[in-house]
Amino acid sequence: MPATVSETRFFDSFDGVRLAWREIGDGRPVVLIHGYFSDAATNWIRYGHAEAIAREGFRVIMPDLRGHGDSARPHEADAYPPDALARDGHALIAELGLSDYDLGGYSLGARTTSRMLATGATPRRIVFSGMGLEGLIDTGRRAGHFRNILTKLGQHERGSPAWMAEAFLKTTGGDPVALLGVIDTFVDTPEATVASFVQPAVVVNGVEDDDNGSAAALAQTLPNATLVEVPGNHMSAVTKSELGRAIAAFLAG
């Protein structure tokens, strides 16, 4: 019988912002963080990735980032200090009392993983998905791309990357004001710091995805990483079962 996803649970983060998480499965904890404009349900649950990982004997813990999903969506600028998402991740790990766990994320979730590692997180294994080296060491390009999307809603050329991102935003019910705030939390991780992440790692990327730069370059920079390519681009790879299977196989390996 398939494992059942828990009801949504809540906790107060480092600054009192109320954040949501869900989980599925029993066993070794793994915290998986979703991407920008998305949420745990869309990124990890809807297409079966969380269930595939849970089947390998994992307790899959999936927060909604601040400004996303069922988490609070404050509009005040002071709710989005630099590294707020990493601090939220640390707060969740403390809330759940995790000491021996794995950690990873997709796109912004992978960037948040890097910031958590840079600020003291000590998981056993790490997962970077939907991410290349540039997306970690130079967040400005993607920040500018998303700021353009959010400040010109309804004005993007049909079929363009910005138009596609706006369409996705509508499907997840995103809050543009809160999401603009989230951009202000972005912090670059120096390449030397990325090279200091010594844990076994996997970089799982769509074969057509270069939105965050080169996944191969990220895998080469990490000292103990494997690159796994799955079908799709930055948006469509999330819908492919190969993504969850690759993460599950790495964590269970």
Side-chain angles (χ1 to χ4, degrees), residues 207-247:
V207 68
E208 301 168 37
D209 179 9
D210 60 1
D211 281 20
N212 284 298
S214 170
L218 175 56
Q220 290 164 6
T221 301
L222 293 162
N224 192 13
T226 301
L227 173 64
V228 179
E229 292 185 325
V230 298
N233 58 30
H234 193 69
M235 294 185 71
S236 66
V238 173
T239 71
K240 310 295 187 183
S241 62
E242 288 90 344
L243 183 83
R245 291 205 304 265
I247 295 171

mmCIF file of all heavy atoms in Angstrom, residues 207-247:
data_model
loop_
_atom_site.group_PDB
_atom_site.id
_atom_site.type_symbol
_atom_site.label_atom_id
_atom_site.label_comp_id
_atom_site.label_asym_id
_atom_site.label_seq_id
_atom_site.Cartn_x
_atom_site.Cartn_y
_atom_site.Cartn_z
ATOM 1 N N VAL A 207 17.974 17.213 -19.055
ATOM 2 C CA VAL A 207 19.027 17.256 -20.069
ATOM 3 C C VAL A 207 18.968 18.545 -20.885
ATOM 4 O O VAL A 207 19.984 18.991 -21.442
ATOM 5 C CB VAL A 207 18.932 16.009 -20.972
ATOM 6 C CG1 VAL A 207 17.671 16.025 -21.827
ATOM 7 C CG2 VAL A 207 20.172 15.849 -21.825
ATOM 8 N N GLU A 208 17.799 19.192 -20.945
ATOM 9 C CA GLU A 208 17.639 20.439 -21.695
ATOM 10 C C GLU A 208 17.640 21.666 -20.782
ATOM 11 O O GLU A 208 17.322 22.775 -21.221
ATOM 12 C CB GLU A 208 16.325 20.401 -22.472
ATOM 13 C CG GLU A 208 16.211 19.264 -23.464
ATOM 14 C CD GLU A 208 14.789 19.107 -23.975
ATOM 15 O OE1 GLU A 208 14.103 20.129 -24.174
ATOM 16 O OE2 GLU A 208 14.353 17.955 -24.153
ATOM 17 N N ASP A 209 18.008 21.496 -19.520
ATOM 18 C CA ASP A 209 17.912 22.573 -18.535
ATOM 19 C C ASP A 209 19.259 23.251 -18.321
ATOM 20 O O ASP A 209 20.178 22.671 -17.751
ATOM 21 C CB ASP A 209 17.402 21.990 -17.203
ATOM 22 C CG ASP A 209 17.292 23.038 -16.099
ATOM 23 O OD1 ASP A 209 17.443 24.233 -16.398
ATOM 24 O OD2 ASP A 209 17.038 22.635 -14.943
ATOM 25 N N ASP A 210 19.356 24.505 -18.779
ATOM 26 C CA ASP A 210 20.535 25.295 -18.450
ATOM 27 C C ASP A 210 20.128 26.628 -17.813
ATOM 28 O O ASP A 210 20.872 27.608 -17.824
ATOM 29 C CB ASP A 210 21.412 25.543 -19.687
ATOM 30 C CG ASP A 210 20.678 26.292 -20.781
ATOM 31 O OD1 ASP A 210 19.486 26.644 -20.605
ATOM 32 O OD2 ASP A 210 21.303 26.564 -21.825
ATOM 33 N N ASP A 211 18.921 26.676 -17.234
ATOM 34 C CA ASP A 211 18.398 27.917 -16.657
ATOM 35 C C ASP A 211 19.309 28.473 -15.570
ATOM 36 O O ASP A 211 19.430 29.688 -15.404
ATOM 37 C CB ASP A 211 17.000 27.702 -16.075
ATOM 38 C CG ASP A 211 15.920 27.694 -17.142
ATOM 39 O OD1 ASP A 211 16.246 27.471 -18.325
ATOM 40 O OD2 ASP A 211 14.750 27.912 -16.790
ATOM 41 N N ASN A 212 19.921 27.597 -14.810
ATOM 42 C CA ASN A 212 20.817 28.013 -13.727
ATOM 43 C C ASN A 212 22.279 27.710 -14.049
ATOM 44 O O ASN A 212 23.090 27.519 -13.143
ATOM 45 C CB ASN A 212 20.410 27.335 -12.419
ATOM 46 C CG ASN A 212 19.181 27.971 -11.797
ATOM 47 O OD1 ASN A 212 19.192 29.141 -11.436
ATOM 48 N ND2 ASN A 212 18.100 27.209 -11.706
ATOM 49 N N GLY A 213 22.598 27.688 -15.329
ATOM 50 C CA GLY A 213 23.967 27.404 -15.737
ATOM 51 C C GLY A 213 24.213 25.919 -15.876
ATOM 52 O O GLY A 213 23.282 25.118 -16.006
ATOM 53 N N SER A 214 25.473 25.536 -15.826
ATOM 54 C CA SER A 214 25.889 24.175 -16.144
ATOM 55 C C SER A 214 25.799 23.244 -14.939
ATOM 56 O O SER A 214 26.512 23.430 -13.946
ATOM 57 C CB SER A 214 27.323 24.181 -16.669
ATOM 58 O OG SER A 214 27.828 22.869 -16.758
ATOM 59 N N ALA A 215 24.948 22.227 -15.056
ATOM 60 C CA ALA A 215 24.881 21.197 -14.025
ATOM 61 C C ALA A 215 26.175 20.393 -13.985
ATOM 62 O O ALA A 215 26.631 19.976 -12.910
ATOM 63 C CB ALA A 215 23.694 20.273 -14.281
ATOM 64 N N ALA A 216 26.775 20.177 -15.159
ATOM 65 C CA ALA A 216 28.041 19.437 -15.200
ATOM 66 C C ALA A 216 29.129 20.197 -14.448
ATOM 67 O O ALA A 216 29.932 19.592 -13.715
ATOM 68 C CB ALA A 216 28.459 19.203 -16.648
ATOM 69 N N ALA A 217 29.160 21.523 -14.592
ATOM 70 C CA ALA A 217 30.155 22.317 -13.874
ATOM 71 C C ALA A 217 29.934 22.249 -12.373
ATOM 72 O O ALA A 217 30.899 22.205 -11.590
ATOM 73 C CB ALA A 217 30.107 23.764 -14.347
ATOM 74 N N LEU A 218 28.673 22.219 -11.953
ATOM 75 C CA LEU A 218 28.385 22.077 -10.526
ATOM 76 C C LEU A 218 28.871 20.727 -10.017
ATOM 77 O O LEU A 218 29.525 20.649 -8.967
ATOM 78 C CB LEU A 218 26.885 22.239 -10.279
ATOM 79 C CG LEU A 218 26.416 22.001 -8.844
ATOM 80 C CD1 LEU A 218 27.137 22.896 -7.857
ATOM 81 C CD2 LEU A 218 24.893 22.185 -8.749
ATOM 82 N N ALA A 219 28.579 19.669 -10.773
ATOM 83 C CA ALA A 219 29.019 18.332 -10.354
ATOM 84 C C ALA A 219 30.538 18.246 -10.296
ATOM 85 O O ALA A 219 31.096 17.574 -9.421
ATOM 86 C CB ALA A 219 28.454 17.279 -11.302
ATOM 87 N N GLN A 220 31.216 18.938 -11.210
ATOM 88 C CA GLN A 220 32.685 18.926 -11.219
ATOM 89 C C GLN A 220 33.263 19.728 -10.055
ATOM 90 O O GLN A 220 34.334 19.407 -9.538
ATOM 91 C CB GLN A 220 33.192 19.486 -12.545
ATOM 92 C CG GLN A 220 32.933 18.563 -13.728
ATOM 93 C CD GLN A 220 33.081 19.258 -15.069
ATOM 94 O OE1 GLN A 220 33.481 20.422 -15.143
ATOM 95 N NE2 GLN A 220 32.733 18.556 -16.142
ATOM 96 N N THR A 221 32.560 20.771 -9.635
ATOM 97 C CA THR A 221 33.051 21.611 -8.538
ATOM 98 C C THR A 221 32.862 20.935 -7.194
ATOM 99 O O THR A 221 33.716 21.047 -6.298
ATOM 100 C CB THR A 221 32.327 22.970 -8.564
ATOM 101 O OG1 THR A 221 32.567 23.597 -9.828
ATOM 102 C CG2 THR A 221 32.817 23.884 -7.452
ATOM 103 N N LEU A 222 31.745 20.251 -7.023
ATOM 104 C CA LEU A 222 31.525 19.498 -5.791
ATOM 105 C C LEU A 222 32.533 18.350 -5.728
ATOM 106 O O LEU A 222 32.724 17.642 -6.717
ATOM 107 C CB LEU A 222 30.098 18.957 -5.753
ATOM 108 C CG LEU A 222 28.993 20.005 -5.635
ATOM 109 C CD1 LEU A 222 27.648 19.405 -6.052
ATOM 110 C CD2 LEU A 222 28.916 20.550 -4.213
ATOM 111 N N PRO A 223 33.192 18.132 -4.586
ATOM 112 C CA PRO A 223 34.277 17.154 -4.557
ATOM 113 C C PRO A 223 33.843 15.694 -4.622
ATOM 114 O O PRO A 223 34.661 14.826 -4.923
ATOM 115 C CB PRO A 223 34.978 17.451 -3.219
ATOM 116 C CG PRO A 223 33.992 18.177 -2.408
ATOM 117 C CD PRO A 223 33.125 18.938 -3.351
ATOM 118 N N ASN A 224 32.553 15.407 -4.376
ATOM 119 C CA ASN A 224 32.134 14.004 -4.304
ATOM 120 C C ASN A 224 30.740 13.861 -4.909
ATOM 121 O O ASN A 224 29.825 13.354 -4.265
ATOM 122 C CB ASN A 224 32.144 13.542 -2.844
ATOM 123 C CG ASN A 224 32.018 12.041 -2.703
ATOM 124 O OD1 ASN A 224 32.153 11.294 -3.674
ATOM 125 N ND2 ASN A 224 31.731 11.587 -1.498
ATOM 126 N N ALA A 225 30.603 14.318 -6.167
ATOM 127 C CA ALA A 225 29.278 14.391 -6.777
ATOM 128 C C ALA A 225 29.187 13.562 -8.045
ATOM 129 O O ALA A 225 30.172 13.349 -8.757
ATOM 130 C CB ALA A 225 28.921 15.831 -7.102
ATOM 131 N N THR A 226 27.964 13.139 -8.332
ATOM 132 C CA THR A 226 27.615 12.447 -9.562
ATOM 133 C C THR A 226 26.553 13.261 -10.293
ATOM 134 O O THR A 226 25.638 13.797 -9.655
ATOM 135 C CB THR A 226 27.050 11.049 -9.259
ATOM 136 O OG1 THR A 226 28.022 10.285 -8.539
ATOM 137 C CG2 THR A 226 26.681 10.315 -10.538
ATOM 138 N N LEU A 227 26.677 13.372 -11.606
ATOM 139 C CA LEU A 227 25.677 14.043 -12.424
ATOM 140 C C LEU A 227 24.735 13.004 -13.018
ATOM 141 O O LEU A 227 25.181 12.015 -13.600
ATOM 142 C CB LEU A 227 26.346 14.828 -13.552
ATOM 143 C CG LEU A 227 25.419 15.467 -14.595
ATOM 144 C CD1 LEU A 227 24.536 16.535 -13.973
ATOM 145 C CD2 LEU A 227 26.234 16.043 -15.751
ATOM 146 N N VAL A 228 23.431 13.232 -12.861
ATOM 147 C CA VAL A 228 22.415 12.378 -13.479
ATOM 148 C C VAL A 228 21.505 13.266 -14.313
ATOM 149 O O VAL A 228 20.903 14.215 -13.787
ATOM 150 C CB VAL A 228 21.584 11.618 -12.431
ATOM 151 C CG1 VAL A 228 20.518 10.766 -13.125
ATOM 152 C CG2 VAL A 228 22.472 10.743 -11.558
ATOM 153 N N GLU A 229 21.411 12.989 -15.597
ATOM 154 C CA GLU A 229 20.522 13.749 -16.462
ATOM 155 C C GLU A 229 19.230 12.973 -16.671
ATOM 156 O O GLU A 229 19.244 11.767 -16.889
ATOM 157 C CB GLU A 229 21.195 14.034 -17.799
ATOM 158 C CG GLU A 229 22.371 15.008 -17.675
ATOM 159 C CD GLU A 229 22.968 15.386 -19.005
ATOM 160 O OE1 GLU A 229 23.007 14.525 -19.918
ATOM 161 O OE2 GLU A 229 23.413 16.545 -19.141
ATOM 162 N N VAL A 230 18.119 13.699 -16.595
ATOM 163 C CA VAL A 230 16.795 13.120 -16.784
ATOM 164 C C VAL A 230 16.115 13.874 -17.915
ATOM 165 O O VAL A 230 16.564 14.937 -18.328
ATOM 166 C CB VAL A 230 15.966 13.209 -15.481
ATOM 167 C CG1 VAL A 230 16.635 12.421 -14.362
ATOM 168 C CG2 VAL A 230 15.750 14.656 -15.049
ATOM 169 N N PRO A 231 15.025 13.353 -18.451
ATOM 170 C CA PRO A 231 14.362 14.055 -19.550
ATOM 171 C C PRO A 231 13.822 15.422 -19.122
ATOM 172 O O PRO A 231 13.466 15.629 -17.965
ATOM 173 C CB PRO A 231 13.212 13.107 -19.918
ATOM 174 C CG PRO A 231 13.626 11.771 -19.408
ATOM 175 C CD PRO A 231 14.417 12.045 -18.169
ATOM 176 N N GLY A 232 13.781 16.353 -20.090
ATOM 177 C CA GLY A 232 13.074 17.589 -19.857
ATOM 178 C C GLY A 232 13.950 18.812 -19.686
ATOM 179 O O GLY A 232 15.181 18.744 -19.676
ATOM 180 N N ASN A 233 13.260 19.958 -19.558
ATOM 181 C CA ASN A 233 13.913 21.233 -19.298
ATOM 182 C C ASN A 233 13.623 21.641 -17.854
ATOM 183 O O ASN A 233 13.161 20.825 -17.051
ATOM 184 C CB ASN A 233 13.464 22.290 -20.305
ATOM 185 C CG ASN A 233 11.948 22.495 -20.299
ATOM 186 O OD1 ASN A 233 11.274 22.327 -19.289
ATOM 187 N ND2 ASN A 233 11.404 22.858 -21.461
ATOM 188 N N HIS A 234 13.878 22.904 -17.519
ATOM 189 C CA HIS A 234 13.774 23.307 -16.122
ATOM 190 C C HIS A 234 12.362 23.109 -15.572
ATOM 191 O O HIS A 234 12.199 22.698 -14.418
ATOM 192 C CB HIS A 234 14.189 24.776 -15.971
ATOM 193 C CG HIS A 234 14.406 25.192 -14.554
ATOM 194 N ND1 HIS A 234 15.463 24.733 -13.800
ATOM 195 C CD2 HIS A 234 13.692 26.008 -13.730
ATOM 196 C CE1 HIS A 234 15.404 25.251 -12.580
ATOM 197 N NE2 HIS A 234 14.336 26.026 -12.524
ATOM 198 N N MET A 235 11.358 23.375 -16.379
ATOM 199 C CA MET A 235 9.985 23.230 -15.901
ATOM 200 C C MET A 235 9.465 21.809 -16.072
ATOM 201 O O MET A 235 8.823 21.259 -15.176
ATOM 202 C CB MET A 235 9.068 24.227 -16.619
ATOM 203 C CG MET A 235 9.380 25.676 -16.274
ATOM 204 S SD MET A 235 8.227 26.853 -17.007
ATOM 205 C CE MET A 235 6.761 26.532 -16.026
ATOM 206 N N SER A 236 9.765 21.168 -17.197
ATOM 207 C CA SER A 236 9.148 19.872 -17.470
ATOM 208 C C SER A 236 9.813 18.713 -16.743
ATOM 209 O O SER A 236 9.176 17.677 -16.511
ATOM 210 C CB SER A 236 9.137 19.597 -18.979
ATOM 211 O OG SER A 236 10.448 19.450 -19.494
ATOM 212 N N ALA A 237 11.090 18.859 -16.355
ATOM 213 C CA ALA A 237 11.772 17.745 -15.672
ATOM 214 C C ALA A 237 11.054 17.346 -14.387
ATOM 215 O O ALA A 237 11.067 16.167 -13.993
ATOM 216 C CB ALA A 237 13.219 18.123 -15.379
ATOM 217 N N VAL A 238 10.409 18.318 -13.747
ATOM 218 C CA VAL A 238 9.697 18.034 -12.493
ATOM 219 C C VAL A 238 8.536 17.073 -12.717
ATOM 220 O O VAL A 238 8.130 16.357 -11.803
ATOM 221 C CB VAL A 238 9.202 19.351 -11.863
ATOM 222 C CG1 VAL A 238 8.318 19.097 -10.656
ATOM 223 C CG2 VAL A 238 10.380 20.219 -11.454
ATOM 224 N N THR A 239 8.022 17.027 -13.933
ATOM 225 C CA THR A 239 6.876 16.160 -14.216
ATOM 226 C C THR A 239 7.294 14.739 -14.586
ATOM 227 O O THR A 239 6.419 13.888 -14.785
ATOM 228 C CB THR A 239 6.025 16.739 -15.359
ATOM 229 O OG1 THR A 239 6.738 16.617 -16.603
ATOM 230 C CG2 THR A 239 5.692 18.203 -15.110
ATOM 231 N N LYS A 240 8.585 14.483 -14.676
ATOM 232 C CA LYS A 240 9.075 13.186 -15.146
ATOM 233 C C LYS A 240 9.411 12.276 -13.963
ATOM 234 O O LYS A 240 10.125 12.684 -13.037
ATOM 235 C CB LYS A 240 10.330 13.364 -16.012
ATOM 236 C CG LYS A 240 10.201 14.403 -17.119
ATOM 237 C CD LYS A 240 9.179 14.014 -18.164
ATOM 238 C CE LYS A 240 9.216 15.008 -19.340
ATOM 239 N NZ LYS A 240 8.190 14.706 -20.354
ATOM 240 N N SER A 241 8.953 11.041 -14.015
ATOM 241 C CA SER A 241 9.205 10.105 -12.917
ATOM 242 C C SER A 241 10.688 9.829 -12.721
ATOM 243 O O SER A 241 11.120 9.477 -11.618
ATOM 244 C CB SER A 241 8.459 8.790 -13.164
ATOM 245 O OG SER A 241 8.914 8.159 -14.355
ATOM 246 N N GLU A 242 11.475 10.009 -13.779
ATOM 247 C CA GLU A 242 12.922 9.756 -13.669
ATOM 248 C C GLU A 242 13.579 10.634 -12.610
ATOM 249 O O GLU A 242 14.576 10.239 -11.995
ATOM 250 C CB GLU A 242 13.601 9.992 -15.022
ATOM 251 C CG GLU A 242 13.302 8.939 -16.072
ATOM 252 C CD GLU A 242 12.083 9.241 -16.918
ATOM 253 O OE1 GLU A 242 11.267 10.119 -16.528
ATOM 254 O OE2 GLU A 242 11.918 8.599 -17.975
ATOM 255 N N LEU A 243 13.029 11.831 -12.386
ATOM 256 C CA LEU A 243 13.620 12.743 -11.403
ATOM 257 C C LEU A 243 13.571 12.124 -10.006
ATOM 258 O O LEU A 243 14.593 12.019 -9.319
ATOM 259 C CB LEU A 243 12.887 14.086 -11.417
ATOM 260 C CG LEU A 243 13.460 15.146 -10.484
ATOM 261 C CD1 LEU A 243 14.626 15.867 -11.148
ATOM 262 C CD2 LEU A 243 12.393 16.158 -10.075
ATOM 263 N N GLY A 244 12.398 11.705 -9.590
ATOM 264 C CA GLY A 244 12.263 11.112 -8.268
ATOM 265 C C GLY A 244 13.028 9.812 -8.142
ATOM 266 O O GLY A 244 13.621 9.526 -7.083
ATOM 267 N N ARG A 245 13.020 9.022 -9.213
ATOM 268 C CA ARG A 245 13.738 7.733 -9.158
ATOM 269 C C ARG A 245 15.243 7.956 -8.999
ATOM 270 O O ARG A 245 15.913 7.214 -8.275
ATOM 271 C CB ARG A 245 13.436 6.911 -10.405
ATOM 272 C CG ARG A 245 12.009 6.419 -10.473
ATOM 273 C CD ARG A 245 11.857 5.157 -11.324
ATOM 274 N NE ARG A 245 12.367 5.345 -12.680
ATOM 275 C CZ ARG A 245 11.601 5.685 -13.708
ATOM 276 N NH1 ARG A 245 10.314 5.911 -13.530
ATOM 277 N NH2 ARG A 245 12.128 5.790 -14.913
ATOM 278 N N ALA A 246 15.770 8.979 -9.663
ATOM 279 C CA ALA A 246 17.211 9.254 -9.560
ATOM 280 C C ALA A 246 17.574 9.693 -8.155
ATOM 281 O O ALA A 246 18.601 9.269 -7.607
ATOM 282 C CB ALA A 246 17.607 10.320 -10.580
ATOM 283 N N ILE A 247 16.755 10.544 -7.562
ATOM 284 C CA ILE A 247 17.025 10.984 -6.193
ATOM 285 C C ILE A 247 16.912 9.819 -5.225
ATOM 286 O O ILE A 247 17.748 9.635 -4.335
ATOM 287 C CB ILE A 247 16.076 12.135 -5.802
ATOM 288 C CG1 ILE A 247 16.356 13.370 -6.670
ATOM 289 C CG2 ILE A 247 16.199 12.476 -4.320
ATOM 290 C CD1 ILE A 247 15.344 14.488 -6.517
#
